[in-house]
Amino acid sequence: MTALRSYPIIGAVIAQLVAGAVLIAIRLVFAGVIDAALLFWAGLAIQCVAAAMVTRMLGLPVWWVWIGLGFPVALALGLNAGEMPAWPFGAAFVLLYLFFSNTARERVPLYLSNSQTAEALVSLMRQRGAIRFTDLGSGLGGVVRRLDGDGRVARGVESAPMVWLISLLLSKISARGRISRQDIWAADIAGEDIVYAFLSPEPMPALYQKARREMKPGSLLVSNSFAVADVAADEVWELPDRRNTRLFLYEMKG
Ligand SMILES: C[S@@+](CC[C@H](N)C(=O)[O-])C[C@H]1O[C@@H](n2cnc3c(N)ncnc32)[C@H](O)[C@@H]1O
């Protein structure tokens, strides 16, 4: 299971293989009984659903379930597309890169904090009388826009080009928050009262070390969902939302 957590692609391949085995068994039973075209479409549906179910059973994150569901359809479309121009694939690749460049590089996909989490962060800042807030890897900037104002100064740091551009525009239009196109590892967090991150397990140890090196005593690193391995959080907030969001709070000591 640790291997699957580190390399979820292995789980995704296992899921497709298991689904493929189920499909072969069903095709053997129904070959000659059901019309060939119907068998093809039914088989495709079975492959998709079975792969998604196995992915779920393996405990992979929810976006892998969607990948398990969609991959057989994409493959079937690709194999049956006949002569197609190459440019749509190139354009799709560039578009995906502009949104998800950090998924391959940092192993951090794009998913967004929900409004309950943003509200919890507002009350955390109020409780502590905190003024300065940074979201490292700010995505579309929703948290930054919610946190900025009422005496609070919120900033987002984002490097995926299109995600940064959209969040910059939304921030300018709403006149809330400041978004920088920057790598989180180069961001100056020395003056922040609260630094928030919703990334993945992968960068958490290095992020914690960065926070310890740079943040002032009494300030907080808050990680959504991903604890720092081998470091006990000072507090864990469990939110009553659908995701059962957990916020891990690490206070910087002197
Ligand atoms: C899971 S999303 C969270 C978005 C936002 N913080 C929220 O909670 O709604 C993580 C974001 O971090 C960005 N990211 C990952 N690694 C980064 C890096 N090294 N520098 C800047 N941004 C990064 C990704 O592009 C993505 O937008």
Side-chain angles (χ1 to χ4, degrees):
M1 280 300 166
T2 316
L4 286 189
R5 208 162 294 144
S6 304
Y7 301 99
I9 186 82
I10 298 175
V13 172
I14 293 173
Q16 294 297 340
L17 291 177
V18 173
V22 172
L23 180 60
I24 289 171
I26 291 176
R27 285 181 77 106
L28 287 176
V29 172
F30 289 101
V33 182
I34 297 180
D35 171 69
L38 181 63
L39 196 58
F40 172 80
W41 291 111
L44 185 58
I46 289 166
Q47 176 81 29
C48 293
V49 173
M53 283 168 67
V54 176
T55 310
R56 192 87 192 102
M57 280 154 62
L58 291 174
L60 298 192
V62 72
W63 60 89
W64 282 101
V65 178
W66 288 107
I67 291 172
L69 196 68
F71 178 75
V73 177
L75 189 65
L77 286 176
L79 292 177
N80 291 288
E83 288 288 306
M84 270 186 74
W87 70 263
F89 296 98
F93 178 80
V94 171
L95 198 64
L96 284 175
Y97 173 80
L98 292 175
F99 277 92
F100 299 106
S101 51
N102 287 313
T103 305
R105 201 165 56 94
E106 296 275 3
R107 317 225 16 216
V108 177
L110 173 64
Y111 36 76
L112 304 175
S113 297
N114 56 25
S115 56
Q116 291 94 326
T117 303
E119 292 314 317
L121 291 169
V122 170
S123 54
L124 178 64
M125 287 195 75
R126 283 197 187 122
Q127 268 180 31
R128 300 178 70 92
I131 293 173
R132 291 176 60 108
F133 172 94
T134 287
D135 183 354
L136 289 178
S138 46
L140 296 177
V143 172
V144 174
R145 291 192 299 281
R146 175 64 190 93
L147 274 268
D148 194 74
D150 295 334
R152 295 180 300 270
V153 179
R155 170 177 73 127
V157 171
E158 175 59 55
S159 64
M162 197 56 96
V163 179
W164 162 77
L165 184 62
I166 293 171
S167 61
L168 178 79
L169 292 176
L170 290 172
S171 191
K172 295 257 182 242
I173 291 166
S174 60
R176 291 185 87 103
R178 191 161 56 82
I179 306 289
S180 311
R181 171 118 205 271
Q182 197 179 29
D183 193 280
I184 58 175
W185 305 114
D188 178 2
I189 51 172
E192 303 310 287
D193 298 314
I194 293 188
V195 168
Y196 173 68
F198 186 15
L199 298 172
S200 81
E202 188 79 2
M204 287 317 296
L207 186 65
Y208 180 69
Q209 290 310 326
K210 176 179 168 67
R212 293 238 350 227
R213 270 194 318 272
E214 298 178 19
M215 291 178 73
K216 59 193 177 196
S219 58
L220 270 190
L221 171 67
V222 179
S223 173
N224 186 334
S225 303
F226 306 111
V228 183
D230 303 325
V231 179
D234 293 285
E235 277 180 57
V236 180
W237 285 22
E238 301 197 353
L239 308 187
D241 59 0
R242 261 188 339 127
R243 279 185 194 165
N244 296 325
T245 297
R246 294 207 296 167
L247 299 178
F248 297 91
L249 277 51
Y250 300 93
E251 183 163 318
M252 299 301 125
K253 313 287 186 302

Short mmCIF file of all heavy atoms in Angstrom, two decimals, residues 113-135 141-154 176 193-196 220 222 224 237 239 245 247 249:
data_model
loop_
_atom_site.label_atom_id
_atom_site.label_comp_id
_atom_site.label_asym_id
_atom_site.label_seq_id
_atom_site.Cartn_x
_atom_site.Cartn_y
_atom_site.Cartn_z
N SER A 113 -9.60 24.26 -2.39
CA SER A 113 -10.19 24.26 -1.05
C SER A 113 -11.66 24.65 -1.16
O SER A 113 -12.02 25.50 -1.98
CB SER A 113 -9.50 25.28 -0.16
OG SER A 113 -8.15 24.95 0.01
N ASN A 114 -12.49 24.07 -0.32
CA ASN A 114 -13.90 24.43 -0.37
C ASN A 114 -14.17 25.64 0.54
O ASN A 114 -13.29 26.11 1.27
CB ASN A 114 -14.78 23.23 0.00
CG ASN A 114 -14.40 22.66 1.35
OD1 ASN A 114 -13.86 23.36 2.20
ND2 ASN A 114 -14.69 21.38 1.57
N SER A 115 -15.41 26.13 0.48
CA SER A 115 -15.72 27.38 1.21
C SER A 115 -15.65 27.16 2.73
O SER A 115 -15.25 28.07 3.47
CB SER A 115 -17.10 27.89 0.81
OG SER A 115 -18.05 26.89 1.04
N GLN A 116 -15.98 25.94 3.20
CA GLN A 116 -15.89 25.68 4.65
C GLN A 116 -14.45 25.84 5.13
O GLN A 116 -14.20 26.35 6.22
CB GLN A 116 -16.36 24.27 5.01
CG GLN A 116 -17.86 24.06 4.83
CD GLN A 116 -18.19 23.48 3.47
OE1 GLN A 116 -17.55 23.77 2.47
NE2 GLN A 116 -19.22 22.66 3.43
N THR A 117 -13.52 25.40 4.30
CA THR A 117 -12.11 25.52 4.68
C THR A 117 -11.71 26.99 4.73
O THR A 117 -11.03 27.44 5.68
CB THR A 117 -11.22 24.77 3.66
OG1 THR A 117 -11.65 23.42 3.61
CG2 THR A 117 -9.76 24.83 4.05
N ALA A 118 -12.15 27.75 3.73
CA ALA A 118 -11.81 29.19 3.73
C ALA A 118 -12.40 29.86 4.98
O ALA A 118 -11.73 30.67 5.63
CB ALA A 118 -12.34 29.84 2.46
N GLU A 119 -13.64 29.47 5.35
CA GLU A 119 -14.25 30.07 6.56
C GLU A 119 -13.46 29.67 7.81
O GLU A 119 -13.28 30.48 8.72
CB GLU A 119 -15.71 29.63 6.70
CG GLU A 119 -16.65 30.17 5.63
CD GLU A 119 -16.47 31.66 5.37
OE1 GLU A 119 -16.33 32.43 6.33
OE2 GLU A 119 -16.44 32.05 4.18
N ALA A 120 -13.01 28.42 7.86
CA ALA A 120 -12.22 27.98 9.03
C ALA A 120 -10.93 28.79 9.12
O ALA A 120 -10.50 29.16 10.22
CB ALA A 120 -11.90 26.49 8.91
N LEU A 121 -10.35 29.10 7.97
CA LEU A 121 -9.11 29.89 7.98
C LEU A 121 -9.39 31.32 8.43
O LEU A 121 -8.58 31.92 9.15
CB LEU A 121 -8.46 29.88 6.59
CG LEU A 121 -7.89 28.51 6.16
CD1 LEU A 121 -7.51 28.51 4.67
CD2 LEU A 121 -6.67 28.15 7.00
N VAL A 122 -10.54 31.85 8.05
CA VAL A 122 -10.92 33.20 8.51
C VAL A 122 -11.02 33.18 10.03
O VAL A 122 -10.46 34.04 10.72
CB VAL A 122 -12.27 33.65 7.89
CG1 VAL A 122 -12.76 34.93 8.57
CG2 VAL A 122 -12.13 33.87 6.40
N SER A 123 -11.70 32.16 10.59
CA SER A 123 -11.85 32.17 12.05
C SER A 123 -10.52 31.90 12.75
O SER A 123 -10.26 32.45 13.82
CB SER A 123 -12.97 31.26 12.54
OG SER A 123 -12.78 30.00 12.07
N LEU A 124 -9.65 31.10 12.11
CA LEU A 124 -8.32 30.89 12.69
C LEU A 124 -7.56 32.22 12.76
O LEU A 124 -6.93 32.55 13.77
CB LEU A 124 -7.55 29.89 11.82
CG LEU A 124 -6.11 29.57 12.24
CD1 LEU A 124 -6.10 28.88 13.61
CD2 LEU A 124 -5.42 28.67 11.20
N MET A 125 -7.64 33.00 11.68
CA MET A 125 -6.94 34.29 11.68
C MET A 125 -7.52 35.23 12.73
O MET A 125 -6.79 35.94 13.42
CB MET A 125 -7.00 34.92 10.28
CG MET A 125 -6.08 34.17 9.31
SD MET A 125 -5.74 35.06 7.79
CE MET A 125 -4.56 36.30 8.26
N ARG A 126 -8.87 35.21 12.85
CA ARG A 126 -9.50 36.09 13.86
C ARG A 126 -9.04 35.70 15.26
O ARG A 126 -8.67 36.55 16.05
CB ARG A 126 -11.02 35.97 13.77
CG ARG A 126 -11.57 36.73 12.58
CD ARG A 126 -13.07 36.96 12.73
NE ARG A 126 -13.58 37.55 11.51
CZ ARG A 126 -14.55 37.04 10.75
NH1 ARG A 126 -15.16 35.92 11.12
NH2 ARG A 126 -14.93 37.64 9.66
N GLN A 127 -9.11 34.37 15.54
CA GLN A 127 -8.72 33.86 16.87
C GLN A 127 -7.33 34.33 17.25
O GLN A 127 -7.06 34.66 18.39
CB GLN A 127 -8.66 32.34 16.84
CG GLN A 127 -9.93 31.65 17.24
CD GLN A 127 -9.73 30.14 17.16
OE1 GLN A 127 -8.65 29.61 17.37
NE2 GLN A 127 -10.81 29.43 16.86
N ARG A 128 -6.41 34.30 16.29
CA ARG A 128 -5.02 34.59 16.59
C ARG A 128 -4.65 36.05 16.35
O ARG A 128 -3.50 36.44 16.52
CB ARG A 128 -4.10 33.71 15.74
CG ARG A 128 -4.32 32.22 15.98
CD ARG A 128 -3.44 31.39 15.10
NE ARG A 128 -2.04 31.48 15.48
CZ ARG A 128 -1.42 30.66 16.32
NH1 ARG A 128 -2.09 29.67 16.87
NH2 ARG A 128 -0.15 30.81 16.60
N GLY A 129 -5.61 36.84 15.91
CA GLY A 129 -5.33 38.24 15.58
C GLY A 129 -4.30 38.33 14.46
O GLY A 129 -3.50 39.27 14.40
N ALA A 130 -4.34 37.37 13.56
CA ALA A 130 -3.34 37.33 12.47
C ALA A 130 -3.72 38.31 11.37
O ALA A 130 -4.90 38.54 11.09
CB ALA A 130 -3.26 35.92 11.91
N ILE A 131 -2.70 38.87 10.75
CA ILE A 131 -2.93 39.86 9.69
C ILE A 131 -2.43 39.37 8.34
O ILE A 131 -3.10 39.50 7.33
CB ILE A 131 -2.23 41.19 10.05
CG1 ILE A 131 -2.93 41.80 11.27
CG2 ILE A 131 -2.26 42.19 8.88
CD1 ILE A 131 -2.26 43.02 11.83
N ARG A 132 -1.26 38.75 8.32
CA ARG A 132 -0.65 38.39 7.03
C ARG A 132 -0.80 36.90 6.74
O ARG A 132 -0.48 36.06 7.58
CB ARG A 132 0.83 38.79 7.03
CG ARG A 132 1.02 40.29 7.02
CD ARG A 132 2.48 40.60 7.13
NE ARG A 132 3.21 40.01 6.01
CZ ARG A 132 3.73 40.71 5.02
NH1 ARG A 132 3.59 42.01 4.99
NH2 ARG A 132 4.41 40.10 4.06
N PHE A 133 -1.27 36.61 5.54
CA PHE A 133 -1.59 35.23 5.14
C PHE A 133 -1.02 34.95 3.75
O PHE A 133 -1.16 35.79 2.85
CB PHE A 133 -3.11 35.06 5.13
CG PHE A 133 -3.59 33.75 4.57
CD1 PHE A 133 -3.84 32.67 5.40
CD2 PHE A 133 -3.80 33.59 3.19
CE1 PHE A 133 -4.29 31.45 4.88
CE2 PHE A 133 -4.24 32.38 2.66
CZ PHE A 133 -4.50 31.31 3.52
N THR A 134 -0.40 33.80 3.59
CA THR A 134 0.03 33.39 2.23
C THR A 134 -0.46 31.98 1.94
O THR A 134 -0.34 31.09 2.79
CB THR A 134 1.58 33.41 2.11
OG1 THR A 134 2.01 34.76 2.06
CG2 THR A 134 2.04 32.75 0.83
N ASP A 135 -1.03 31.82 0.74
CA ASP A 135 -1.40 30.49 0.26
C ASP A 135 -0.30 30.05 -0.72
O ASP A 135 -0.15 30.64 -1.79
CB ASP A 135 -2.77 30.56 -0.44
CG ASP A 135 -3.25 29.20 -0.92
OD1 ASP A 135 -2.49 28.22 -0.82
OD2 ASP A 135 -4.40 29.12 -1.40
N GLY A 141 -7.04 30.91 -6.59
CA GLY A 141 -6.99 32.07 -5.70
C GLY A 141 -8.23 32.29 -4.84
O GLY A 141 -8.35 33.33 -4.19
N GLY A 142 -9.12 31.31 -4.79
CA GLY A 142 -10.36 31.47 -4.01
C GLY A 142 -10.09 31.73 -2.53
O GLY A 142 -10.74 32.59 -1.91
N VAL A 143 -9.13 31.02 -1.97
CA VAL A 143 -8.82 31.19 -0.54
C VAL A 143 -8.25 32.59 -0.31
O VAL A 143 -8.65 33.29 0.63
CB VAL A 143 -7.81 30.11 -0.08
CG1 VAL A 143 -7.33 30.39 1.32
CG2 VAL A 143 -8.46 28.73 -0.16
N VAL A 144 -7.37 33.01 -1.21
CA VAL A 144 -6.74 34.33 -1.06
C VAL A 144 -7.81 35.43 -1.09
O VAL A 144 -7.82 36.33 -0.24
CB VAL A 144 -5.70 34.55 -2.18
CG1 VAL A 144 -5.14 35.97 -2.13
CG2 VAL A 144 -4.58 33.53 -2.05
N ARG A 145 -8.73 35.33 -2.06
CA ARG A 145 -9.76 36.38 -2.17
C ARG A 145 -10.67 36.37 -0.95
O ARG A 145 -11.10 37.42 -0.47
CB ARG A 145 -10.58 36.19 -3.46
CG ARG A 145 -9.77 36.48 -4.73
CD ARG A 145 -10.67 36.57 -5.96
NE ARG A 145 -11.41 35.34 -6.21
CZ ARG A 145 -10.89 34.26 -6.79
NH1 ARG A 145 -9.63 34.25 -7.18
NH2 ARG A 145 -11.62 33.18 -6.99
N ARG A 146 -10.98 35.20 -0.41
CA ARG A 146 -11.85 35.13 0.77
C ARG A 146 -11.14 35.69 2.00
O ARG A 146 -11.76 36.33 2.86
CB ARG A 146 -12.29 33.68 1.02
CG ARG A 146 -13.10 33.47 2.29
CD ARG A 146 -14.43 34.23 2.21
NE ARG A 146 -15.14 34.26 3.47
CZ ARG A 146 -15.06 35.22 4.37
NH1 ARG A 146 -14.27 36.28 4.17
NH2 ARG A 146 -15.76 35.17 5.50
N LEU A 147 -9.85 35.44 2.10
CA LEU A 147 -9.12 35.83 3.33
C LEU A 147 -8.75 37.31 3.33
O LEU A 147 -8.60 37.91 4.39
CB LEU A 147 -7.84 34.98 3.46
CG LEU A 147 -7.89 33.61 4.13
CD1 LEU A 147 -7.60 33.71 5.60
CD2 LEU A 147 -9.20 32.88 3.92
N ASP A 148 -8.57 37.89 2.15
CA ASP A 148 -8.11 39.28 2.09
C ASP A 148 -9.25 40.23 2.50
O ASP A 148 -10.41 39.99 2.21
CB ASP A 148 -7.66 39.60 0.66
CG ASP A 148 -6.85 40.88 0.60
OD1 ASP A 148 -5.69 40.86 1.02
OD2 ASP A 148 -7.41 41.90 0.13
N GLY A 149 -8.88 41.29 3.19
CA GLY A 149 -9.89 42.29 3.60
C GLY A 149 -10.16 42.23 5.09
O GLY A 149 -9.61 41.38 5.80
N ASP A 150 -10.98 43.16 5.59
CA ASP A 150 -11.26 43.27 7.03
C ASP A 150 -9.96 43.33 7.85
O ASP A 150 -9.84 42.65 8.88
CB ASP A 150 -12.09 42.07 7.54
CG ASP A 150 -13.46 42.03 6.92
OD1 ASP A 150 -13.96 43.12 6.53
OD2 ASP A 150 -14.04 40.93 6.82
N GLY A 151 -8.99 44.06 7.33
CA GLY A 151 -7.72 44.21 8.05
C GLY A 151 -6.71 43.12 7.78
O GLY A 151 -5.59 43.16 8.29
N ARG A 152 -7.12 42.11 7.00
CA ARG A 152 -6.18 41.03 6.69
C ARG A 152 -5.55 41.25 5.32
O ARG A 152 -6.20 41.77 4.41
CB ARG A 152 -6.89 39.67 6.68
CG ARG A 152 -7.43 39.24 8.02
CD ARG A 152 -8.11 37.87 7.90
NE ARG A 152 -9.22 37.92 6.96
CZ ARG A 152 -10.48 38.21 7.32
NH1 ARG A 152 -10.78 38.44 8.57
NH2 ARG A 152 -11.43 38.23 6.41
N VAL A 153 -4.29 40.84 5.17
CA VAL A 153 -3.60 40.96 3.89
C VAL A 153 -3.26 39.55 3.41
O VAL A 153 -2.51 38.84 4.07
CB VAL A 153 -2.28 41.76 4.06
CG1 VAL A 153 -1.54 41.85 2.73
CG2 VAL A 153 -2.57 43.13 4.63
N ALA A 154 -3.87 39.16 2.29
CA ALA A 154 -3.66 37.79 1.82
C ALA A 154 -2.96 37.80 0.47
O ALA A 154 -3.24 38.62 -0.39
CB ALA A 154 -5.00 37.06 1.71
N ARG A 176 -9.25 41.95 -4.43
CA ARG A 176 -8.97 41.23 -3.17
C ARG A 176 -7.75 40.35 -3.37
O ARG A 176 -7.69 39.52 -4.29
CB ARG A 176 -10.16 40.36 -2.77
CG ARG A 176 -11.37 41.17 -2.34
CD ARG A 176 -12.43 40.24 -1.86
NE ARG A 176 -12.25 39.95 -0.45
CZ ARG A 176 -12.97 40.48 0.52
NH1 ARG A 176 -13.91 41.35 0.23
NH2 ARG A 176 -12.77 40.15 1.77
N ASP A 193 1.97 35.62 9.15
CA ASP A 193 1.42 35.07 10.40
C ASP A 193 0.92 33.65 10.17
O ASP A 193 1.04 32.79 11.03
CB ASP A 193 0.25 35.93 10.89
CG ASP A 193 0.70 37.35 11.18
OD1 ASP A 193 1.75 37.50 11.82
OD2 ASP A 193 0.03 38.30 10.73
N ILE A 194 0.32 33.45 8.98
CA ILE A 194 -0.18 32.11 8.66
C ILE A 194 0.20 31.78 7.21
O ILE A 194 -0.03 32.57 6.31
CB ILE A 194 -1.71 32.02 8.83
CG1 ILE A 194 -2.05 32.17 10.31
CG2 ILE A 194 -2.25 30.70 8.27
CD1 ILE A 194 -3.48 31.92 10.69
N VAL A 195 0.80 30.61 7.04
CA VAL A 195 1.08 30.11 5.69
C VAL A 195 0.24 28.86 5.51
O VAL A 195 0.25 27.96 6.34
CB VAL A 195 2.58 29.80 5.52
CG1 VAL A 195 2.82 29.01 4.23
CG2 VAL A 195 3.39 31.09 5.49
N TYR A 196 -0.52 28.85 4.40
CA TYR A 196 -1.45 27.76 4.13
C TYR A 196 -0.97 27.00 2.90
O TYR A 196 -0.48 27.60 1.94
CB TYR A 196 -2.83 28.35 3.88
CG TYR A 196 -3.88 27.37 3.41
CD1 TYR A 196 -4.36 26.38 4.26
CD2 TYR A 196 -4.42 27.46 2.12
CE1 TYR A 196 -5.34 25.49 3.83
CE2 TYR A 196 -5.41 26.58 1.69
CZ TYR A 196 -5.86 25.60 2.55
OH TYR A 196 -6.83 24.72 2.13
N LEU A 220 2.12 30.29 12.07
CA LEU A 220 1.56 28.95 11.84
C LEU A 220 1.72 28.49 10.41
O LEU A 220 1.48 29.27 9.47
CB LEU A 220 0.05 28.99 12.09
CG LEU A 220 -0.56 28.73 13.43
CD1 LEU A 220 -2.08 28.60 13.25
CD2 LEU A 220 -0.02 27.46 14.08
N VAL A 222 -0.20 25.90 8.09
CA VAL A 222 -1.44 25.11 8.08
C VAL A 222 -1.46 24.28 6.80
O VAL A 222 -1.37 24.83 5.70
CB VAL A 222 -2.68 26.03 8.11
CG1 VAL A 222 -3.96 25.20 8.07
CG2 VAL A 222 -2.66 26.92 9.33
N ASN A 224 -3.62 21.63 4.55
CA ASN A 224 -4.91 20.99 4.31
C ASN A 224 -4.67 19.54 3.91
O ASN A 224 -4.01 19.27 2.90
CB ASN A 224 -5.64 21.75 3.20
CG ASN A 224 -7.05 21.24 2.98
OD1 ASN A 224 -7.36 20.08 3.27
ND2 ASN A 224 -7.91 22.10 2.47
N TRP A 237 -7.61 20.44 13.05
CA TRP A 237 -9.01 20.87 12.95
C TRP A 237 -9.73 19.93 11.98
O TRP A 237 -9.31 19.78 10.83
CB TRP A 237 -9.10 22.30 12.42
CG TRP A 237 -8.73 23.36 13.42
CD1 TRP A 237 -7.97 23.21 14.54
CD2 TRP A 237 -9.11 24.74 13.38
NE1 TRP A 237 -7.85 24.40 15.20
CE2 TRP A 237 -8.53 25.37 14.52
CE3 TRP A 237 -9.87 25.51 12.51
CZ2 TRP A 237 -8.70 26.71 14.79
CZ3 TRP A 237 -10.03 26.86 12.77
CH2 TRP A 237 -9.45 27.45 13.90
N LEU A 239 -13.06 19.46 9.94
CA LEU A 239 -14.18 20.30 9.50
C LEU A 239 -15.39 19.42 9.16
O LEU A 239 -15.23 18.32 8.63
CB LEU A 239 -13.79 21.13 8.28
CG LEU A 239 -12.51 21.96 8.41
CD1 LEU A 239 -12.33 22.85 7.17
CD2 LEU A 239 -12.52 22.82 9.66
N THR A 245 -12.56 17.39 5.73
CA THR A 245 -11.27 18.09 5.64
C THR A 245 -10.59 18.14 6.99
O THR A 245 -11.22 18.42 8.01
CB THR A 245 -11.50 19.53 5.13
OG1 THR A 245 -12.05 19.46 3.83
CG2 THR A 245 -10.20 20.34 5.11
N LEU A 247 -7.34 20.03 8.88
CA LEU A 247 -6.30 21.05 8.79
C LEU A 247 -5.26 20.75 9.86
O LEU A 247 -5.59 20.67 11.05
CB LEU A 247 -6.88 22.45 9.00
CG LEU A 247 -7.94 22.90 7.99
CD1 LEU A 247 -8.47 24.28 8.35
CD2 LEU A 247 -7.36 22.92 6.58
N LEU A 249 -2.17 22.00 11.96
CA LEU A 249 -1.59 23.28 12.35
C LEU A 249 -0.23 23.06 13.02
O LEU A 249 -0.14 22.33 14.01
CB LEU A 249 -2.51 24.00 13.35
CG LEU A 249 -3.70 24.81 12.79
CD1 LEU A 249 -4.55 24.03 11.83
CD2 LEU A 249 -4.54 25.36 13.92
#
